[in-house]
Amino acid sequence: MLGSMFFMGWALISFGQRMGDIYGRKWPIFISLVITIPATIGILETDSLTILTGLMFVYGLTVAK
């Protein structure tokens, strides 16, 4: 389930890669990093499987940029 949530997020935001071509790569990558850092810390620190599943989805959303 964890791996599939990662790839669901990745597949959902794959259309967002075009934003880097339109608006430049600085802001989409910056926003992605601002979201990725807390999500990664949450993945490492959580004890709840439900929260971990949600954080893996968020992490998948930010990796595709």
Side-chain angles (χ1 to χ4, degrees):
M1 182 70 170
L2 294 175
S4 64
M5 288 303 287
F6 173 82
F7 285 114
M8 283 176 60
W10 181 71
L12 182 68
I13 202 68
S14 63
F15 67 89
Q17 293 176 351
R18 179 88 172 114
M19 288 182 5
D21 294 335
I22 296 171
Y23 300 112
R25 303 204 192 274
K26 180 181 179 181
W27 290 110
I29 289 176
F30 178 74
I31 293 168
S32 176
L33 283 174
V34 167
I35 296 170
T36 300
I37 292 170
T40 304
I41 292 170
I43 288 169
L44 294 173
E45 296 295 325
T46 190
D47 291 333
S48 171
L49 186 59
T50 306
I51 294 173
L52 181 60
T53 305
L55 287 172
M56 287 298 289
F57 179 76
V58 171
Y59 189 69
L61 287 173
T62 61
V63 169
K65 298 208 178 357

